[in-house]
Amino acid sequence: MSLVANTGKLAGRTLFITGASRGIGKAIALKAAKDGANVVVAAKTAEPHPKLPGTIYTAAEEIEALGGKALPCIVDVRDEKQIQKAIDEAVKKFNGIDILVNNASAISLTGTAETDMKRYDLMHNINTRGTFLASKLCLPLLKESNHAHILNLSPPLNMNPYWFSLHVAYTMAKYGMSMCVLGMSEEFRQFNIGVNALWPKTAIATAAIEMLTGDTSSSRKPEIVSDAAYVMLSKDPKSYTGKFEIDEDVVKSVGINDLTPYACDPSNLNNLLPDFFLDIPGQQTQEVKKSEPSGQIPELFSVINKTITPELVKKTQAVFQFNVKGKEEGIWHLDLKNGDGACGQGEPKHAPDATLTMDSSNFADMFAGKLKPTTAFMMGKLKIKGDMQKAMKLEKMMKSLKAKV
């Protein structure tokens, strides 16, 4: 649901949006379409994906249904020829490009040892190189526009080592996009081209979040990002450049103070998942733990053991190892993959799919439903090694345990 009113400031403007077939890229395209903008849908998805909705053609239809004009182009941002061809087609159809939105991105939340080089190259070639390349190729046309903007969907440059320690390859790739903003905003100032970054305050309900967590109840809708992007792209690029904005702050700056409609689940409004790279109070600090009753974790595993069913094993198909620190230090396991399932103290008999490390008090909160694994991970209270998607399957299991713990 869009809360920011359309003003017509992007009417007749041409936007080149990478990764615009779905998610945030498509939401920005649809918001601009309501002004009567022209949109180049530059994305890879020409054929329907078995798991992900939307193609460049379905996105183009939605844009035109809202009053915009669309040009669907098959573009892999790693391919210079494909980007140039799409730019040439945009010039032919729309006579130029006013705005470039670098939205295409790849993610892998893996540590150094777990990041294979194929995935490393994918992230760096799409996120950093793709952003640089699209900006470079669009530059001659942006110089000719009297309302030229580049907007990168990338985070503020936060040098807290914590954000590097979790997934250094992904952090480098996203910060590469942000460094493009830092450098190009100053470099292109003489051409009156505004270059800015936009990043969400919370998780956004996109295919990536659903893939990572299997749940969007702690996320906001993509429309909060598209509303913020619309506000930013409507500003005068001569004076508005070099900013690293957060979606929530931007929409509040234009008088939208009740953000409830942006929540996927309004009842979960106070439990939204913070996005990466944004420090929040109490995060990444060694908090002094209150003394806990001894034997809390054995009791928990006793309860967990009673809830293991063949159906749960069939649905989960994962082995977890828990390295518990603090007062109740020890190693525990939960096997929801082999036989009828098993749990208890010590390492699992079968190799773990995911190893989770946390303090014993956080462990208890997690299994009591007070702390979601995804939230714990984002806040630095939980470290995950191995298969991230399987680790996040714990969240669904927690819901069934919550009433019993």
Side-chain angles (χ1 to χ4, degrees), residues 317-390:
Q317 284 298 292
V319 179
F320 306 102
Q321 178 173 317
F322 303 95
N323 295 340
V324 180
K325 307 291 181 188
K327 189 171 181 185
E328 289 192 67
E329 188 160 338
I331 295 174
W332 296 79
H333 68 271
L334 175 57
D335 185 337
L336 295 176
K337 189 178 193 177
N338 301 286
D340 295 327
C343 73
Q345 198 157 11
E347 294 185 8
K349 287 180 185 174
H350 302 273
D353 294 294
T355 300
L356 294 85
T357 303
M358 76 213 80
D359 188 271
S360 53
S361 63
N362 293 329
F363 184 91
D365 285 347
M366 201 167 80
F367 275 91
K370 294 175 189 169
L371 179 66
K372 287 187 174 187
T374 321
T375 308
F377 173 73
M378 298 285 250
M379 292 174 70
K381 293 180 176 181
L382 166 64
K383 288 191 175 173
I384 298 172
K385 186 180 174 185
D387 190 322
M388 177 70 65
Q389 283 174 260
K390 287 193 175 174

Side-chain angles (χ1 to χ4, degrees), residues 48-123:
H49 189 282
K51 291 183 181 173
L52 304 171
T55 67
I56 55 174
Y57 305 111
T58 56
E61 284 170 15
E62 289 182 58
I63 289 162
E64 299 204 329
L66 289 172
K69 288 180 182 167
L71 175 63
C73 294
I74 299 169
V75 174
D76 181 335
V77 294
R78 294 171 291 179
D79 190 321
E80 189 169 353
K81 286 178 183 171
Q82 286 186 21
I83 298 176
Q84 191 59 59
K85 188 183 176 202
I87 290 170
D88 294 342
E89 286 178 24
V91 171
K92 209 176 287 181
K93 184 163 183 177
F94 301 130
N95 299 317
I97 292 171
D98 300 289
I99 293 165
L100 167 64
V101 179
N102 287 306
N103 166 67
S105 198
I107 182 170
S108 179
L109 302 178
T110 44
T112 301
E114 294 77 38
T115 306
D116 61 71
M117 293 316 292
K118 187 178 176 185
R119 178 61 58 172
Y120 177 97
D121 289 342
L122 180 75
M123 287 192 287

Side-chain angles (χ1 to χ4, degrees), residues 225-298:
V225 187
S226 58
D227 276 1
Y230 180 80
V231 171
M232 293 173 73
L233 296 173
S234 297
K235 290 181 184 281
D236 183 354
K238 294 182 191 70
S239 54
Y240 184 70
T241 191
K243 307 286 186 190
F244 289 85
E245 303 281 26
I246 303 301
D247 59 354
E248 185 176 295
D249 299 337
V250 177
V251 296
K252 282 182 175 177
S253 75
V254 292
I256 311 294
N257 292 309
D258 181 8
L259 307 181
T260 310
Y262 289 127
C264 291
D265 179 359
S267 68
N268 217 14
L269 198 61
N270 298 318
N271 194 27
L272 294 172
L273 196 58
D275 208 342
F276 297 107
F277 311 117
L278 303 177
D279 292 343
I280 55 176
Q283 186 176 300
Q284 294 90 263
T285 57
Q286 292 299 312
E287 296 162 8
V288 178
K289 304 294 176 188
K290 293 175 186 172
S291 61
E292 323 160 14
S294 60
Q296 204 173 0
I297 290 177

Side-chain angles (χ1 to χ4, degrees), residues 141-267:
L141 295 163
L142 294 171
K143 284 180 181 177
E144 293 173 16
S145 170
N146 62 0
H147 190 82
H149 279 276
I150 297 175
L151 179 64
N152 293 355
L153 273 296
S154 67
L157 288 161
N158 183 350
M159 292 296 115
N160 186 335
Y162 170 77
W163 293 116
F164 290 85
S165 68
L166 290 175
H167 32 66
V168 66
Y170 174 63
T171 301
M172 287 161 67
K174 285 308 285 188
Y175 280 16
M177 295 175 73
S178 300
M179 285 192 284
C180 285
V181 171
L182 198 63
M184 291 176 188
S185 60
E186 200 56 40
E187 184 186 358
F188 301 165
R189 194 183 290 273
Q190 60 182 312
F191 309 121
N192 295 321
I193 300 170
V195 186
N196 300 290
L198 173 61
W199 193 245
K201 177 80 174 277
T202 69
I204 301 296
T206 62
I209 279 289
E210 223 163 327
M211 182 182 76
L212 286 171
T213 68
D215 179 28
T216 56
S217 64
S218 300
S219 305
R220 283 179 174 152
K221 299 167 188 171
E223 282 75 16
I224 187 169
V225 187
S226 58
D227 276 1
Y230 180 80
V231 171
M232 293 173 73
L233 296 173
S234 297
K235 290 181 184 281
D236 183 354
K238 294 182 191 70
S239 54
Y240 184 70
T241 191
K243 307 286 186 190
F244 289 85
E245 303 281 26
I246 303 301
D247 59 354
E248 185 176 295
D249 299 337
V250 177
V251 296
K252 282 182 175 177
S253 75
V254 292
I256 311 294
N257 292 309
D258 181 8
L259 307 181
T260 310
Y262 289 127
C264 291
D265 179 359
S267 68

